Amino acid sequence: MPLTRIPSGIPGLDEMIEGGFPFPSVILVAGSAGTGKTTFGLKFLCEGAANHEQGLYITTLSEPTQWMLRFASQLDFMRPEYFGEEIQYLDLGAKMRDMTSAQLLEAIEEKIAEVIPQRIVIDPITVFGTMLKGDYRSFLFDITTRLKNWNATTVLTGEVSPGEMYPAEIAYAVDAIVLLLQSEEAGTRRKYLEIIKMRGTNHQSGKQSIDITGANGITVLKARF
Amino acid sequence: MPLTRIPSGIPGLDEMIEGGFPFPSVILVAGSAGTGKTTFGLKFLCEGAANHEQGLYITTLSEPTQWMLRFASQLDFMRPEYFGEEIQYLDLGAKMRDMTSAQLLEAIEEKIAEVIPQRIVIDPITVFGTMLKGDYRSFLFDITTRLKNWNATTVLTGEVSPGEMYPAEIAYAVDAIVLLLQSEEAGTRRKYLEIIKMRGTNHQSGKQSIDITGANGITVLKARF
Amino acid sequence: MPLTRIPSGIPGLDEMIEGGFPFPSVILVAGSAGTGKTTFGLKFLCEGAANHEQGLYITTLSEPTQWMLRFASQLDFMRPEYFGEEIQYLDLGAKMRDMTSAQLLEAIEEKIAEVIPQRIVIDPITVFGTMLKGDYRSFLFDITTRLKNWNATTVLTGEVSPGEMYPAEIAYAVDAIVLLLQSEEAGTRRKYLEIIKMRGTNHQSGKQSIDITGANGITVLKARF
Amino acid sequence: MPLTRIPSGIPGLDEMIEGGFPFPSVILVAGSAGTGKTTFGLKFLCEGAANHEQGLYITTLSEPTQWMLRFASQLDFMRPEYFGEEIQYLDLGAKMRDMTSAQLLEAIEEKIAEVIPQRIVIDPITVFGTMLKGDYRSFLFDITTRLKNWNATTVLTGEVSPGEMYPAEIAYAVDAIVLLLQSEEAGTRRKYLEIIKMRGTNHQSGKQSIDITGANGITVLKARF
Amino acid sequence: MPLTRIPSGIPGLDEMIEGGFPFPSVILVAGSAGTGKTTFGLKFLCEGAANHEQGLYITTLSEPTQWMLRFASQLDFMRPEYFGEEIQYLDLGAKMRDMTSAQLLEAIEEKIAEVIPQRIVIDPITVFGTMLKGDYRSFLFDITTRLKNWNATTVLTGEVSPGEMYPAEIAYAVDAIVLLLQSEEAGTRRKYLEIIKMRGTNHQSGKQSIDITGANGITVLKARF
Amino acid sequence: MPLTRIPSGIPGLDEMIEGGFPFPSVILVAGSAGTGKTTFGLKFLCEGAANHEQGLYITTLSEPTQWMLRFASQLDFMRPEYFGEEIQYLDLGAKMRDMTSAQLLEAIEEKIAEVIPQRIVIDPITVFGTMLKGDYRSFLFDITTRLKNWNATTVLTGEVSPGEMYPAEIAYAVDAIVLLLQSEEAGTRRKYLEIIKMRGTNHQSGKQSIDITGANGITVLKARF
């Protein structure tokens, strides 16, 4: 019985992965600063919203909702009418300072139980490493376990340092790893997407050139077969 | 007196190692994310199941059994009728959070005593490093010691960071080390298998190209003699 | 609705970023010793001052005001009449030794509330890492959160070690990252500016040659389109 | 007065070191997983056994004696009749978990006093680093001191990580360092032996190609003079 | 108003920095062992002494004054009559073992208040890192703050490990960084000087070849303009 | 007044350093395992002994005196009649386990006061790092301070890991650094000597080829002027 799949929202990506992300599954999207992780996550939610799927965007940055919306609204695909409707919002950043990791897990699950999303984004998951310190690895173990009990595909974004491929501390626990890469070539920065693993999926391997614009988000430029 | 050997289940591998894995023995299969460690372990168990050998799959991920089965069932060789019969399942992930390393060892041995497997897989062993921390090296010492008291061949999978060869903290204690490697060549990812050590075995050395598909699992493409 | 933007004060930079820095926003300007971070920050404030915008310069170095002014006055664009008027000054260095991170945050917000600046510079933010140690990452999380509650564009300068790109511990929390780079080429040092990320902005990518002089501060020499 | 020397048992090695290992002395044989350290140590003991010298093999792995013998018996030179006679066996692994470093030293010396060996192997010495942690460096200092009070040549094997030359923490205290190396050349693994130091001996320097087989153990292929 | 400048005493250097070191200022002179840091500092003081400026040499090495003088007197420019007159001496090394960092700061300021020097050398500043450990970064912050309250130009020498550029922990706090470098080229060691930053100064950039002799100290061989 | 100098005992070295080591002074001789540090130190003492200077050899290895003598006697220049006469011996290794660093310093000074040596060797100084841990850097500071109060030239040998140049933690405190190097070239090991610093001395720079034999110890093969 083939896996159920949902479109990723990234033009050119679904052809690389047998038609879309497994549903349900937990996907890690990793990259250094400025590689388009948030754009990836928002497009993933908007794709669902356009198909009347419920989405949940969990941010770990602590910033006013208006601040976030002001920047997100520069993305042409990010329709304001989705927000608060097809795309619900949970600001975990504001809560992170005063909560234990158990309370954080509970807050996430409470929101999921309330929204019943088919698509979830936690952006970025790596901030927990900054704030939880000692408990971080256990927390990653627990949160991926919990997410696998819901009927949703979750995108976890992971911010890495330049030169680091992906946050190794969570790689073993996710069902798929998608890298967003940039490298300097002939004085300019080229951007790439690469799928490192995807359970149950004969995925294309190797780096694929991508384009990132405010109009279309991320597009996989040429998929080699 | 030559060593007893059992087929690994990986086409092309047995020719490299005098006919198969020593029985009993403890084998480390190491690689970074997406190199096929779980596929290796499952094929190893299915090979036994096809020959009516008892297998035991111990996962250290904490995920619902159905979640795991859904992905595993995408592998053509993973026959559903094996599961719960020739291949027994122990979810250590769910227990890991509340158990001491002594209790974990006991839980493993209890299950082995109940199942009496000829083939065991622990996938991945490196998760214990995430959860046990201070006790991890002692635990690895103890678990390999315990496994050597059973009449079985055990495959321990080890997840390493990109660029790392194998988890050095367990290398000394196992009877064999098989690497699953990937490298970027001309914009694509090539995959390889390499045998670093195998006690009592004149094994082939050097990297061998492999192919990984959902249909056949891992195949060693060309074995150089 | 397009983002409000303000001129950066760096000739050639605004053309790379759709006309200027988003207002409000938090910008990280990172570079190793001697790459022009302070010159960048002061020019940013003078640009505002020339347009009758209120500026606030927060230094984390502990040095006499006259000491700082003596060096700053060597920059031709740094008009003495701005100082104490359009450009207010807060010496956090002197206070840092005796204050908790909570008190530091309060001191910063008190000054912002008093001055009501449109442009803020904290130079360099990385000194807090030296003095706060254990609390540093939480402090960075908190200070960026607080700054996002004010109607200002803030430039945080970050001093990195040679070979390091930017201080990764704050990268996730800022809206933009501008690198000031130097590399040794044919026995001399070439200087560059590169934009790594800027939320809501289709920015130019890749290294741009810059010139630094006391007369003009930093100038982007050739912007490739 | 020239040093007394004993044959190493490795064909081609004695010619490189003025005829054999100094007697008494402490020799470190270092290499990563799969380079032949155990084979080296067993051949060294068998060489002595063939000449009616008493040997003592101390293993720090904790594995059943039968498990070890099963693999060792695959080496053609490892005659079963030596075992328990010319080659005595001490399983330190089983004791390591419950003993202090002082008790371990005592256990080793007690066995030496009982066996009165001319040749001793401790295989691998580096496991103590895993189990003793804080006391490890002191323990290495103490064990080499104690071994120098006996009239024996001791081979300590040391397992290093790939890319590491030898365990630096013990190098200063031994009388000789022999490296077992492997490098990847043209897709295959080449194996080498190199003598880094040997007190009182004009030894040959540089890497020498070696061959490792179950039939002959390690052979130095071409010794350059 | 241009900065007041004083000659550095290093032939060829002043032309690179608009005529000399800013007065007052704090200058870091960094280099690995044997690059001429002490020679630089002594020449800087002798240049002042020849112009009847008061100098203060603070050593953090603990060695008898005669021991130091014996080596310093090998430098032709180091006139014995300066010593104890134009060049005063403070042996901080002897005191460092029993003093807190607060007491060390007090001892330095007391001596400065007594001598009223225009030129100060602390050689090497990095020894405090060895002896103060936990307090080192705070101490560096405090000592540069204190020095900026005196009307003097201070040279802090910093010893780095081979391959390290400068001690990053103090770089942000000084007004200028001068590197003394050596590299191996064609079997010999070439020596260079490079100015990494100098506040308020349009300095020359890139490595300049230098010569070091006992007769003349350090000379910049060819300054490229 | 030129420095008093004593011959180093290493043929070819004195020509590189204005005739010999400064007397008194503290010399660091650094190198990885097998580079000839002990041979250097013993030859230095024998050179003195031949000129009726008193020598003191302090070993930090804990090994029976006979063990050490057996190996040392393989060096042709090491005349047995020197031992116990012109070359006195202090075995610090045996005492190191039970003594505080203050007691160790006292034991060293007591022996120096008893022997009144002109030449001292401490071989290797880096073992204290293994045994003293937390106090190591302070101990190095103290021991070099103490040695500078005696009228002797001291050679401290320092064992470094492969690829490390010298032990940076002591480099600032010694008067000279001599490196013993080995590199792999065309499959063999070439050995070199290089002088990194020598106070008060116009020394030759760059690597010099050396030869090491039991007959002559270390010889500098070709000194380039």
Side-chain angles (χ1 to χ4, degrees):
Chain A
M1 198 180 63
L3 295 175
T4 307
R5 292 184 188 273
I6 57 172
S8 64
I10 310 299
L13 176 55
D14 294 347
E15 296 91 295
M16 298 169 62
I17 52 174
E18 299 192 28
F21 287 147
F23 179 88
S25 67
V26 178
I27 314 284
L28 174 67
V29 175
S32 60
T35 52
K37 297 181 298 295
T38 295
T39 301
F40 190 112
L42 292 176
K43 190 73 195 303
F44 168 73
L45 292 181
C46 289
E47 177 75 17
N51 297 321
H52 308 293
E53 292 172 25
Q54 186 60 50
L56 172 61
Y57 181 75
I58 303 175
T59 180
T60 56
L61 294 186
S62 183
E63 59 190 15
T65 309
Q66 288 312 312
W67 190 281
M68 187 280 263
L69 280 180
R70 191 166 45 95
F71 287 117
S73 69
Q74 299 308 109
L75 299 163
D76 293 0
F77 57 80
M78 185 66 193
R79 297 207 195 148
E81 62 265 30
Y82 291 158
F83 209 81
E85 298 295 324
E86 285 88 349
I87 302 178
Q88 296 286 324
Y89 181 78
L90 173 63
D91 177 5
L92 223 56
K95 302 177 177 169
M96 218 170 358
R97 294 304 313 273
D98 303 314
M99 281 177 154
T100 64
S101 56
Q103 288 172 320
L104 281 169
L105 288 169
E106 200 182 339
I108 292 169
E109 291 212 294
E110 223 167 74
K111 189 72 178 183
I112 295 175
E114 175 200 325
V115 173
I116 317 280
Q118 281 89 54
R119 295 176 180 239
I120 305 172
V121 171
I122 306 185
D123 179 36
I125 188 83
T126 36
V127 170
F128 292 110
T130 298
M131 308 305 287
L132 290 177
K133 291 175 196 91
D135 288 305
Y136 179 45
R137 288 172 172 267
S138 303
F139 176 79
L140 292 177
F141 184 87
D142 289 340
I143 198 170
T144 48
T145 298
R146 301 285 183 96
L147 288 167
K148 289 174 182 172
N149 286 315
W150 295 94
N151 208 36
T153 291
T154 302
V155 165
L156 307 173
T157 69
E159 178 145 331
V160 294
S161 297
E164 199 187 352
M165 279 183 76
Y166 52 78
E169 63 271 19
I170 194 174
Y172 74 90
V174 294
D175 301 311
I177 302 178
V178 178
L179 304 185
L180 297 176
L181 302 156
Q182 55 184 0
S183 67
E184 197 182 335
E185 289 169 25
T188 189
R189 293 244 166 222
R190 299 289 306 273
K191 302 202 171 185
Y192 300 96
L193 176 152
E194 179 172 9
I195 300 159
I196 286 292
K197 84 168 181 183
M198 192 166 289
R199 283 168 92 181
T201 307
N202 285 315
H203 63 81
Q204 198 173 328
S205 72
K207 294 192 298 185
Q208 308 297 326
S209 290
I210 56 171
D211 193 37
I212 308 185
T213 62
N216 304 311
I218 296 172
T219 308
V220 179
L221 289 183
K222 43 171 182 175
R224 304 177 196 128
F225 289 98
Chain B
M1 197 181 64
L3 295 174
T4 307
R5 293 182 188 273
I6 59 172
S8 65
I10 310 299
L13 176 55
D14 294 348
E15 296 91 296
M16 298 170 62
I17 52 173
E18 299 192 28
F21 287 146
F23 179 89
S25 67
V26 178
I27 314 284
L28 174 67
V29 175
S32 60
T35 51
K37 297 180 298 295
T38 295
T39 301
F40 190 110
L42 292 175
K43 189 73 195 302
F44 169 73
L45 292 181
C46 288
E47 177 74 19
N51 297 320
H52 308 293
E53 292 172 25
Q54 186 61 49
L56 173 60
Y57 181 75
I58 303 176
T59 180
T60 56
L61 295 185
S62 183
E63 59 189 16
T65 309
Q66 287 312 311
W67 190 281
M68 188 280 263
L69 280 180
R70 191 166 45 95
F71 287 117
S73 69
Q74 299 307 110
L75 300 163
D76 292 1
F77 58 80
M78 186 66 193
R79 296 206 196 150
E81 62 265 30
Y82 290 158
F83 209 82
E85 298 296 325
E86 285 89 349
I87 301 178
Q88 296 286 323
Y89 180 79
L90 172 63
D91 177 4
L92 223 55
K95 301 177 178 170
M96 219 172 353
R97 294 304 312 272
D98 304 313
M99 280 178 155
T100 64
S101 57
Q103 288 172 320
L104 281 169
L105 289 170
E106 200 181 339
I108 292 169
E109 290 212 293
E110 222 167 74
K111 190 71 178 184
I112 295 176
E114 175 200 325
V115 173
I116 317 279
Q118 282 89 55
R119 295 174 181 239
I120 305 172
V121 171
I122 306 184
D123 179 36
I125 189 83
T126 36
V127 170
F128 291 110
T130 297
M131 307 305 286
L132 291 176
K133 291 175 197 91
D135 287 305
Y136 180 44
R137 287 171 172 267
S138 302
F139 177 79
L140 291 177
F141 184 88
D142 289 340
I143 198 170
T144 48
T145 297
R146 301 285 184 95
L147 288 167
K148 288 175 182 172
N149 285 315
W150 296 92
N151 207 35
T153 291
T154 302
V155 165
L156 307 174
T157 68
E159 178 145 331
V160 294
S161 297
E164 199 187 353
M165 279 183 76
Y166 52 79
E169 63 272 20
I170 194 175
Y172 73 91
V174 295
D175 301 312
I177 302 178
V178 178
L179 304 185
L180 296 176
L181 302 157
Q182 54 184 0
S183 66
E184 198 183 333
E185 290 170 25
T188 188
R189 295 244 164 221
R190 299 287 307 273
K191 302 202 171 185
Y192 301 96
L193 175 152
E194 179 172 9
I195 299 159
I196 286 291
K197 83 168 181 183
M198 192 166 289
R199 283 168 91 181
T201 307
N202 285 315
H203 63 81
Q204 197 174 330
S205 71
K207 294 192 298 184
Q208 308 297 324
S209 289
I210 57 172
D211 193 38
I212 308 185
T213 62
N216 304 311
I218 296 172
T219 308
V220 180
L221 289 183
K222 43 172 182 175
R224 304 177 196 127
F225 288 97
Chain C
M1 198 179 63
L3 295 175
T4 306
R5 292 184 188 273
I6 58 172
S8 66
I10 310 299
L13 177 54
D14 293 348
E15 295 92 295
M16 298 169 63
I17 52 174
E18 299 192 26
F21 287 147
F23 179 88
S25 66
V26 179
I27 314 284
L28 174 67
V29 175
S32 60
T35 51
K37 298 181 298 295
T38 295
T39 301
F40 191 111
L42 291 176
K43 190 72 195 304
F44 168 72
L45 292 181
C46 289
E47 177 74 18
N51 297 321
H52 308 294
E53 292 171 25
Q54 186 60 50
L56 173 59
Y57 181 75
I58 303 175
T59 180
T60 56
L61 294 186
S62 183
E63 59 190 15
T65 309
Q66 287 313 311
W67 190 281
M68 187 281 262
L69 280 180
R70 192 165 45 95
F71 287 118
S73 68
Q74 299 307 111
L75 300 163
D76 292 0
F77 57 79
M78 185 66 193
R79 298 207 195 148
E81 62 264 30
Y82 291 158
F83 209 81
E85 298 296 324
E86 285 89 349
I87 302 178
Q88 296 285 324
Y89 180 79
L90 172 63
D91 176 4
L92 223 55
K95 302 178 177 169
M96 218 170 356
R97 294 305 312 272
D98 304 313
M99 281 178 155
T100 64
S101 57
Q103 288 172 320
L104 281 169
L105 289 170
E106 200 182 338
I108 291 170
E109 290 212 295
E110 223 167 73
K111 189 71 178 181
I112 294 176
E114 175 199 326
V115 173
I116 317 279
Q118 281 89 54
R119 295 175 180 241
I120 305 172
V121 171
I122 306 183
D123 180 35
I125 188 83
T126 36
V127 171
F128 291 110
T130 298
M131 308 303 287
L132 291 177
K133 290 174 196 92
D135 288 305
Y136 180 45
R137 289 172 171 268
S138 302
F139 177 80
L140 292 177
F141 185 87
D142 289 340
I143 198 171
T144 48
T145 298
R146 301 285 183 96
L147 288 168
K148 289 175 182 171
N149 286 315
W150 295 94
N151 207 36
T153 291
T154 302
V155 165
L156 307 173
T157 69
E159 178 144 332
V160 295
S161 298
E164 199 188 351
M165 279 183 78
Y166 53 78
E169 63 272 19
I170 194 175
Y172 74 90
V174 295
D175 301 311
I177 303 178
V178 178
L179 305 185
L180 296 176
L181 301 156
Q182 55 183 359
S183 66
E184 197 183 334
E185 290 169 27
T188 189
R189 292 245 165 221
R190 298 289 305 274
K191 301 203 171 185
Y192 301 96
L193 175 152
E194 178 171 11
I195 299 159
I196 287 292
K197 83 168 181 184
M198 192 167 288
R199 283 168 92 180
T201 306
N202 284 316
H203 63 82
Q204 197 173 330
S205 72
K207 294 192 298 183
Q208 308 296 326
S209 289
I210 56 171
D211 194 37
I212 309 185
T213 61
N216 304 311
I218 296 172
T219 308
V220 179
L221 289 183
K222 42 171 183 174
R224 304 177 196 126
F225 288 97
Chain D
M1 196 181 65
L3 296 174
T4 307
R5 293 183 187 272
I6 58 172
S8 65
I10 310 299
L13 175 55
D14 294 348
E15 295 92 297
M16 297 169 62
I17 52 174
E18 298 192 29
F21 287 146
F23 179 88
S25 66
V26 178
I27 314 284
L28 174 68
V29 176
S32 60
T35 51
K37 297 180 298 297
T38 294
T39 301
F40 190 111
L42 291 176
K43 189 72 194 303
F44 169 74
L45 292 181
C46 288
E47 178 74 17
N51 297 321
H52 308 292
E53 292 171 25
Q54 187 61 48
L56 173 60
Y57 181 75
I58 303 175
T59 180
T60 56
L61 295 186
S62 183
E63 59 189 15
T65 310
Q66 287 313 310
W67 190 281
M68 187 279 264
L69 280 180
R70 191 166 46 94
F71 287 116
S73 69
Q74 300 306 111
L75 299 163
D76 292 1
F77 58 80
M78 185 66 193
R79 295 205 197 151
E81 62 264 31
Y82 291 158
F83 209 81
E85 298 296 325
E86 285 88 351
I87 302 179
Q88 296 286 323
Y89 180 79
L90 172 63
D91 177 5
L92 223 55
K95 301 177 178 170
M96 219 172 351
R97 293 306 311 272
D98 304 314
M99 280 178 156
T100 64
S101 57
Q103 288 172 320
L104 281 170
L105 289 169
E106 200 182 339
I108 292 169
E109 289 212 296
E110 221 167 75
K111 190 71 178 184
I112 294 175
E114 175 199 326
V115 174
I116 316 279
Q118 282 88 55
R119 296 174 181 241
I120 305 172
V121 171
I122 306 184
D123 180 37
I125 189 82
T126 36
V127 170
F128 291 110
T130 298
M131 308 304 286
L132 291 176
K133 291 176 196 90
D135 287 306
Y136 180 44
R137 287 171 172 268
S138 303
F139 176 79
L140 291 177
F141 183 87
D142 288 339
I143 198 170
T144 48
T145 297
R146 301 285 183 97
L147 288 167
K148 288 175 182 172
N149 286 314
W150 295 93
N151 207 35
T153 292
T154 302
V155 165
L156 307 173
T157 69
E159 178 145 333
V160 295
S161 297
E164 198 187 353
M165 279 182 77
Y166 53 80
E169 63 272 20
I170 194 175
Y172 73 90
V174 295
D175 301 311
I177 302 178
V178 177
L179 304 185
L180 297 176
L181 301 156
Q182 54 184 359
S183 66
E184 199 182 334
E185 290 169 27
T188 188
R189 293 245 165 221
R190 298 287 306 273
K191 302 203 172 184
Y192 300 95
L193 175 152
E194 179 172 9
I195 299 160
I196 287 290
K197 84 168 182 185
M198 192 166 289
R199 282 169 93 181
T201 306
N202 285 316
H203 63 81
Q204 197 174 330
S205 71
K207 295 193 297 184
Q208 308 297 324
S209 289
I210 57 172
D211 193 38
I212 308 186
T213 62
N216 304 313
I218 296 172
T219 309
V220 179
L221 289 182
K222 42 170 182 174
R224 304 176 197 129
F225 288 97
Chain E
M1 198 179 64
L3 295 175
T4 307
R5 292 182 188 274
I6 57 172
S8 65
I10 309 299
L13 177 54
D14 293 348
E15 294 93 294
M16 298 169 63
I17 51 173
E18 299 192 26
F21 287 146
F23 179 88
S25 66
V26 179
I27 314 284
L28 174 67
V29 175
S32 60
T35 51
K37 298 180 299 294
T38 295
T39 301
F40 190 111
L42 292 176
K43 190 71 194 305
F44 168 72
L45 292 181
C46 289
E47 177 74 18
N51 297 321
H52 307 292
E53 292 171 24
Q54 186 62 49
L56 173 60
Y57 181 75
I58 303 175
T59 180
T60 56
L61 294 186
S62 184
E63 59 189 14
T65 310
Q66 288 312 311
W67 190 280
M68 187 279 262
L69 280 180
R70 191 165 44 96
F71 287 117
S73 68
Q74 299 307 111
L75 299 163
D76 292 359
F77 58 80
M78 185 66 193
R79 296 208 196 147
E81 62 265 32
Y82 291 157
F83 209 81
E85 299 296 326
E86 285 90 349
I87 302 178
Q88 296 286 323
Y89 180 79
L90 172 63
D91 177 4
L92 222 56
K95 302 178 178 170
M96 217 168 0
R97 293 306 311 274
D98 303 314
M99 281 179 155
T100 64
S101 56
Q103 288 172 320
L104 281 169
L105 289 170
E106 200 182 339
I108 291 170
E109 290 213 295
E110 222 167 74
K111 190 71 178 182
I112 294 176
E114 175 199 326
V115 173
I116 317 280
Q118 280 90 53
R119 296 175 181 241
I120 305 172
V121 171
I122 306 184
D123 180 36
I125 189 83
T126 36
V127 170
F128 292 109
T130 298
M131 307 304 286
L132 291 177
K133 290 174 196 92
D135 287 305
Y136 179 45
R137 288 171 171 267
S138 302
F139 176 80
L140 291 177
F141 184 86
D142 288 340
I143 198 171
T144 47
T145 297
R146 301 285 183 97
L147 288 167
K148 289 175 182 171
N149 287 314
W150 295 94
N151 207 35
T153 292
T154 301
V155 165
L156 307 173
T157 69
E159 178 144 331
V160 294
S161 297
E164 199 188 351
M165 278 182 78
Y166 53 80
E169 64 272 20
I170 194 175
Y172 73 90
V174 294
D175 301 311
I177 302 178
V178 178
L179 304 185
L180 297 176
L181 302 156
Q182 55 184 358
S183 66
E184 199 183 333
E185 290 169 26
T188 188
R189 293 244 165 221
R190 298 289 304 274
K191 302 204 170 184
Y192 300 96
L193 175 152
E194 179 171 9
I195 299 159
I196 287 292
K197 83 167 181 186
M198 192 166 289
R199 283 169 92 180
T201 306
N202 284 316
H203 63 82
Q204 197 173 331
S205 72
K207 294 192 298 184
Q208 308 297 326
S209 289
I210 56 171
D211 194 37
I212 308 186
T213 62
N216 304 311
I218 296 172
T219 308
V220 179
L221 289 183
K222 41 171 184 174
R224 303 177 197 127
F225 288 98
Chain F
M1 197 180 65
L3 295 175
T4 306
R5 292 182 188 273
I6 58 172
S8 65
I10 310 300
L13 176 55
D14 294 347
E15 295 93 295
M16 297 169 62
I17 52 174
E18 299 191 28
F21 288 146
F23 179 88
S25 66
V26 179
I27 314 284
L28 174 67
V29 175
S32 60
T35 51
K37 297 179 299 296
T38 295
T39 302
F40 190 111
L42 292 176
K43 190 72 194 304
F44 168 72
L45 292 181
C46 288
E47 177 74 18
N51 298 321
H52 306 293
E53 292 171 25
Q54 186 61 49
L56 173 60
Y57 181 75
I58 303 176
T59 180
T60 56
L61 296 185
S62 183
E63 59 189 15
T65 309
Q66 287 313 310
W67 190 281
M68 187 280 263
L69 280 179
R70 192 165 45 93
F71 287 117
S73 69
Q74 298 307 111
L75 300 162
D76 292 0
F77 58 80
M78 186 66 194
R79 297 208 195 148
E81 62 264 30
Y82 291 157
F83 210 81
E85 298 296 326
E86 285 89 350
I87 302 179
Q88 296 286 323
Y89 180 79
L90 173 63
D91 177 5
L92 222 56
K95 302 177 177 170
M96 218 172 354
R97 293 307 310 272
D98 304 314
M99 281 179 156
T100 63
S101 56
Q103 288 171 321
L104 281 169
L105 289 170
E106 200 182 338
I108 291 169
E109 290 212 295
E110 221 168 75
K111 190 71 178 183
I112 294 176
E114 176 199 326
V115 174
I116 316 280
Q118 281 88 54
R119 296 175 180 241
I120 306 172
V121 170
I122 306 185
D123 180 36
I125 188 83
T126 36
V127 170
F128 291 110
T130 298
M131 307 305 285
L132 291 177
K133 291 176 195 90
D135 288 306
Y136 180 44
R137 288 172 172 267
S138 303
F139 176 79
L140 291 176
F141 184 86
D142 289 339
I143 198 170
T144 48
T145 297
R146 301 285 183 97
L147 288 167
K148 289 175 182 172
N149 287 315
W150 295 93
N151 207 35
T153 291
T154 302
V155 165
L156 308 173
T157 69
E159 178 145 332
V160 294
S161 297
E164 199 188 352
M165 279 182 77
Y166 53 79
E169 63 272 20
I170 194 175
Y172 73 90
V174 295
D175 301 311
I177 303 178
V178 178
L179 304 184
L180 296 176
L181 302 155
Q182 54 184 359
S183 67
E184 199 183 334
E185 291 169 26
T188 188
R189 292 244 165 221
R190 298 288 305 273
K191 302 203 171 185
Y192 300 96
L193 175 152
E194 179 172 9
I195 299 159
I196 287 291
K197 83 168 182 186
M198 192 166 290
R199 283 168 91 180
T201 306
N202 285 316
H203 63 81
Q204 197 173 330
S205 72
K207 295 192 297 185
Q208 308 297 325
S209 289
I210 57 171
D211 193 38
I212 308 185
T213 62
N216 304 312
I218 297 172
T219 308
V220 180
L221 289 183
K222 41 169 182 176
R224 304 177 198 127
F225 288 97

